[in-house]
Amino acid sequence: MDKVAVITGVSSGLGMQEADLFRKSGFKVVGVSRSKPNLGIDHWIQADITVPEERDKIIDYVENECGRVDLLINNAGRGSYALWEELSEEELRSLFELNFFALVDLTMKFLPMLKESKGTIINVSSVLGKIHIACMGGYCCSKYAVVAFSDSLRPEVKKYGINVINIMPGRIDTGFSQNCVGQRKPPSTPMVNAKPRGLAKVMYKAYCRGSRQKFYPWVYGPFVSLSRIIPNFLDKINRKAWKID
Ligand SMILES: NC(=O)c1ccc[n+]([C@@H]2O[C@H](COP(=O)([O-])OP(=O)(O)OC[C@H]3O[C@@H](n4cnc5c(N)ncnc54)[C@H](OP(=O)(O)O)[C@@H]3O)[C@@H](O)[C@H]2O)c1
């Protein structure tokens, strides 16, 4: 029987590449997004994952049509380019609804099926779930929360044979920047040439190896460690790059 992967946010960017690669690797892929993806996919569910009833619809569909889940990839997400002073409470809550609460709820609702398959949960957080930067504070908080969720869930579900992988992309060339809310313009970064396909390959390798976490590109790993040693330097780069002094 084919293994089943459920992937959120398949209509563009990273999710589209993840869906394509896992499908080519033998998974039956169930994709979720609000707009229709322009790719070959086994099942597509049109759903806004911030709406609780639509999340229930996803679970029902997968239970009835596929009968199993071996892999859940919580990929859908959105950013925000704004100073804290510019970020409304409404916008902050809506970031958390999508990036954190929807992800947690889908994970918990898929857990019974994942227990049966001894499956894998892959959460797409961000390098910004490990380091803070200015003008993306709300987004950083939502992704720190995803990292904490992944790392605290992993030991709890190990006894069921479930692994939780935390994927932390740096800046990758997708529609992410255009879809960010907020007025600020992001500075250019040296790693901007990173490609969605590369991320999908790193994710697939992490799945096969049963890893805990992966940065993409890898260079963000040492960068995160370095930024812990010299936090004032990171603050200085932030102020300069975002022109906020
Ligand atoms: N690209 C980067 O530089 C980067 C860096 C670090 C982390 N990430 C993370 O990687 C993930 C994917 O981002 P991306 O770069 O591929 O961005 P993207 O091109 O903007 O894709 C976002 C995907 O999420 C879906 N989505 C958004 N809101 C949704 C909702 N309410 N319900 C269902 N689906 C929804 C979108 O589909 P619809 O609009 O059709 O619903 C789209 O397929 C995100 O979690 C992001 O935070 C990206």
Side-chain angles (χ1 to χ4, degrees):
M1 190 185 283
D2 284 342
K3 286 191 169 185
V4 174
V6 176
I7 308 177
T8 64
V10 289
S11 63
S12 62
L14 306 183
M16 187 181 265
Q17 293 300 325
E18 292 155 16
D20 186 54
L21 188 70
F22 277 87
R23 191 162 181 255
K24 286 181 175 150
S25 307
F27 278 84
K28 188 177 273 188
V29 170
V30 182
V32 180
S33 51
R34 293 167 303 178
S35 50
K36 197 169 188 340
N38 185 17
L39 83 160
I41 200 162
D42 303 290
H43 300 267
W44 172 61
I45 308 172
Q46 183 170 32
D48 178 341
I49 61 166
T50 63
V51 178
E53 295 75 25
E54 305 219 351
R55 294 198 290 268
D56 291 341
K57 184 176 88 178
I58 299 168
I59 311 296
D60 289 349
Y61 181 96
V62 173
E63 246 168 10
N64 295 331
E65 298 298 321
C66 309
R68 62 183 288 140
V69 175
D70 302 87
L71 171 62
L72 170 64
I73 304 181
N74 286 307
N75 165 81
R78 183 166 53 80
S80 151
Y81 297 141
L83 293 172
W84 276 107
E85 283 179 297
E86 299 163 349
L87 187 64
S88 68
E89 183 188 342
E90 190 188 2
E91 183 47 42
L92 181 60
R93 285 184 187 279
S94 100
L95 272 178
F96 266 80
E97 283 301 335
L98 176 60
N99 293 354
F100 183 65
F101 290 114
L103 175 151
V104 171
D105 191 49
L106 278 175
T107 303
M108 299 326 290
K109 287 183 171 149
F110 272 120
L111 208 54
M113 281 193 270
L114 287 162
K115 281 182 187 174
E116 274 184 32
S117 63
K118 299 190 192 314
T120 300
I121 298 159
I122 299 182
N123 292 326
V124 179
S125 60
S126 169
V127 169
L128 299 185
K130 289 277 189 179
I131 54 169
H132 54 278
I133 64 166
C135 293
M136 291 190 77
Y139 177 75
C140 286
C141 289
S142 70
K143 293 296 189 176
Y144 266 70
V146 172
V147 172
F149 172 61
S150 307
D151 288 345
S152 54
L153 179 66
R154 188 182 302 109
E156 293 181 16
V157 297
K158 190 170 170 43
K159 63 183 176 212
Y160 305 118
I162 297 175
N163 186 28
V164 183
I165 304 172
N166 187 30
I167 295 288
M168 293 168 291
R171 195 155 164 199
I172 303 179
D173 193 8
T174 67
F176 178 83
S177 288
Q178 289 95 291
N179 295 333
C180 276
V181 293
Q183 307 299 319
R184 302 274 157 174
K185 287 263 169 295
S188 61
T189 57
M191 267 76 79
V192 81
N193 282 332
K195 296 288 177 215
R197 193 68 177 185
L199 182 280
K201 286 181 182 166
V202 164
M203 181 184 280
Y204 184 68
K205 220 181 259 182
Y207 167 77
C208 294
R209 290 180 178 168
S211 306
R212 289 169 63 90
Q213 62 170 38
K214 278 284 169 231
F215 287 96
Y216 175 77
W218 66 269
V219 71
Y220 281 105
F223 180 71
V224 165
S225 306
L226 189 66
S227 71
R228 297 240 159 84
I229 303 167
I230 44 172
N232 289 342
F233 181 62
L234 181 66
D235 287 355
K236 196 170 162 189
I237 297 176
N238 267 227
R239 295 201 309 274
K240 197 167 170 207
W242 289 87
K243 301 186 175 68
I244 49 177
D245 270 341

